[in-house]
């Protein structure tokens, strides 16, 4: 039985990923700080469900805590590492940038140092579509330059990509960075649009629609994302002996690659809201607002590389995914 260390295990994506890994026969060590960025009761419930499995072990602490990860790597010797723990959210990074520095930059440094001392077979680190920043050519492709991040959150995630590349080059650590695109689904984060819109609509309150509704996102259903991560575990990058194949983001000097995981469809925000209206059976009262600082008007993933590496491409429609979230929300909150 191989061991996987998952950081951010009680988070939205972490919960689904740990569940999938346990189903697939892995032993899972889940590290999570259980911070109060959003309702901790959601994290506690997710962790409780994971703890019902005999092969799941929970460690509640911060990734940036000195020597914590080194100790975990020493005692558990993980075969795979999937690093999801991060301070998330574009808008909150304007209010509290230090939390992003500590969790995202320092936390990733601690992880890389531990992996340097106790190398796993493969490390997969979460990045974000926000790394593409001011790029306007769509769909976003991994080989595009991504130098103009629009928020401090995005800047920290892009920095972790560069940090991981340096360790991959210097110490031969196989690293896959995955950039995910607007992940949603049941057990999602309360600070995300789907959760906020559903809550407001069911409570009869108006929803804030930014950029006057002229926004597009590549909405990716959480189980599709997790399927992509699981398949990428077996697509271990190796330092190329010859030229890097066209369209591959593999580094020419390191076993390091970045891969988009997205639905390959850019959906208008108004269509997303209409899907919520259909699922709730209620019309939304829309409060049209200007664009928020740090935000981008559109995202759209080119998922060709993911498909080339794994044979898989996400495909859950917004209508399907939103309906599943609304059904979960009604049951969980008894509304």
């Amino acid at each position: 039985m191989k061991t996987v260390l998952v950081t951010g295990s009680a988070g939205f994506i972490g919960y689904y990923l740990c569940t999938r890994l346990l189903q697939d026969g892995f032993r899972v060590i889940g590290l999570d700080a259980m911070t109060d960025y959003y309702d901790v009761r959601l994290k506690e419930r997710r962790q409780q469900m994971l703890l019902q499995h005999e092969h799941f072990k929970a460690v509640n602490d911060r990734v940036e805590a000195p020597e914590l990860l080194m100790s975990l790597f020493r005692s558990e010797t993980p075969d795979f590492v999937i690093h999801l723990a991060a301070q998330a959210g574009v808008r909150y990074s304007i209010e509290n940038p230090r939390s992003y520095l500590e969790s995202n930059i320092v936390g990733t440094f601690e992880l890389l140092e531990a992996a340097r001392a106790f190398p796993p077979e493969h490390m997969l680190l979460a990045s974000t579509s926000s790394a593409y920043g001011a790029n306007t050519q769509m769909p976003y492709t991994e080989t595009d330059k991504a130098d103009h991040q629009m928020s401090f959150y995005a800047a920290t995630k892009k920095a972790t990509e560069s940090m991981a590349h340096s360790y991959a080059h210097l110490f031969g650590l196989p690293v896959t960075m995955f950039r995910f695109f607007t992940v949603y689904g049941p057990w999602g984060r309360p600070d995300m649009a789907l959760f906020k819109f559903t809550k407001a609509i069911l409570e009869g309150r108006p929803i804030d629609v930014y950029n006057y509704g002229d926004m597009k996102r590549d909405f990716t259903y959480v189980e599709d994302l997790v399927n992509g991560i699981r398949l990428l575990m077996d697509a271990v990058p190796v330092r190329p002996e010859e030229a890097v194949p066209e369209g591959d983001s593999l580094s020419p000097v390191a076993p390091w690659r970045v891969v988009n995981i997205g639905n390959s469809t850019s959906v208008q925000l108004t269509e997303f809201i209409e899907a919520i209206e259909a699922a709730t059976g209620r019309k939304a009262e829309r409060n049209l607002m200007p664009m928020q600082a740090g935000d981008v008007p559109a995202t759209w993933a080119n998922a060709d590389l993911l498909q080339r590496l794994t044979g898989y491409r996400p495909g859950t429609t917004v209508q399907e995914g939103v309906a599943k979230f609304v059904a979960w929300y009604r049951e969980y909150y008894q509304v």
Side-chain angles (χ1 to χ4, degrees):
M1 180 177 287
K2 294 203 171 186
T3 297
V4 186
L5 171 63
V6 177
T7 71
S9 54
F12 168 40
I13 297 168
Y15 161 70
Y16 276 92
L17 178 63
C18 290
T19 300
R20 171 65 183 273
L21 293 171
L22 292 164
Q23 289 171 349
D24 286 358
F26 289 93
R27 174 173 174 263
V28 179
I29 310 299
L31 172 63
D32 202 290
M34 309 296 279
T35 63
D36 61 359
Y37 170 62
Y38 63 82
D39 188 354
V40 178
R41 289 172 296 181
L42 274 173
K43 299 179 183 181
E44 291 171 344
R45 184 68 187 104
R46 297 185 196 119
Q47 189 175 84
Q48 287 167 5
M49 290 188 289
L50 291 172
L51 284 167
Q52 292 173 15
H53 201 291
E54 62 176 325
H55 297 304
F56 179 79
K57 176 181 177 180
V59 179
N60 292 346
D61 211 329
R62 293 178 173 272
V63 287
E64 65 267 30
E67 294 300 314
L68 171 73
L69 282 162
M70 189 69 77
S71 176
L72 262 182
F73 272 68
R74 182 182 296 111
S75 61
E76 305 293 350
T77 57
D79 300 285
F80 296 90
V81 176
I82 305 176
H83 181 44
L84 301 172
Q87 178 58 62
V90 168
R91 289 153 196 163
Y92 188 60
S93 69
I94 298 171
E95 301 170 29
N96 189 9
R98 182 172 295 278
S99 66
Y100 291 75
L101 178 71
E102 292 170 350
S103 180
N104 301 2
I105 302 289
V106 178
T108 300
F109 167 74
E110 293 287 346
L111 184 84
L112 292 170
E113 277 290 279
R116 172 186 177 182
F118 303 96
E121 294 177 23
H122 191 188
M123 298 179 67
L124 298 96
L125 281 67
S127 188
T128 172
S129 62
S130 297
Y132 288 105
N135 287 18
T136 56
Q137 183 174 332
M138 302 224 182
Y140 293 145
T141 301
E142 296 91 343
T143 52
D144 294 342
K145 286 188 69 175
D147 293 336
H148 304 111
Q149 285 71 50
M150 305 277 278
S151 68
F152 189 63
Y153 161 67
T156 61
K157 297 302 279 185
K158 184 62 167 60
T160 65
E161 294 183 6
S162 298
M163 291 162 61
H165 180 271
S166 70
Y167 273 68
H169 169 65
L170 292 168
F171 310 114
L173 293 172
V175 174
T176 297
M177 306 291 313
F178 54 94
R179 292 176 179 163
F180 48 73
F181 286 69
T182 316
V183 185
Y184 72 104
W187 293 99
R189 293 192 344 238
D191 63 317
M192 298 293 283
L194 176 56
F195 200 112
K196 292 196 291 188
F197 286 175
T198 299
K199 186 174 190 294
I201 291 169
L202 289 174
E203 292 175 358
R205 296 183 291 104
I207 60 174
D208 291 338
V209 180
Y210 292 100
N211 204 33
Y212 309 103
D214 187 17
M215 303 270 280
K216 290 184 177 181
R217 288 291 181 269
D218 195 338
F219 294 99
T220 309
Y221 189 64
V222 63
E223 290 181 345
D224 287 357
L225 173 80
V226 164
N227 198 35
I229 298 170
R230 173 66 188 90
L231 292 168
L232 283 172
M233 287 172 64
D234 300 323
V236 184
V238 295
R239 191 191 305 263
E241 295 180 0
E242 300 176 357
V244 175
E246 186 177 351
D248 195 340
S249 60
L250 182 66
S251 165
V253 296
W256 179 99
R257 173 187 279 126
V258 61
V259 183
N260 289 337
I261 307 180
N263 220 47
S264 308
T265 308
S266 199
V267 175
Q268 191 76 33
L269 181 57
T270 51
E271 183 182 341
F272 188 62
I273 295 169
E274 287 164 5
I276 303 171
E277 291 174 327
T280 58
R282 302 188 187 185
K283 294 293 288 183
E285 181 185 344
R286 307 181 192 196
N287 181 26
L288 300 181
M289 308 273 286
M291 178 78 90
Q292 282 201 318
D295 231 337
V296 295
T299 63
W300 182 10
N302 180 326
D304 290 350
L305 181 56
L306 174 68
Q307 186 168 25
R308 193 182 316 156
L309 293 170
T310 66
Y312 175 71
R313 181 184 290 267
T316 302
T317 67
V318 159
Q319 289 73 21
E320 292 175 80
V322 165
K324 289 179 180 179
F325 173 83
V326 171
W328 167 81
Y329 184 94
R330 284 185 182 277
E331 180 181 2
Y332 188 77
Y333 291 102
Q334 296 294 295
V335 293

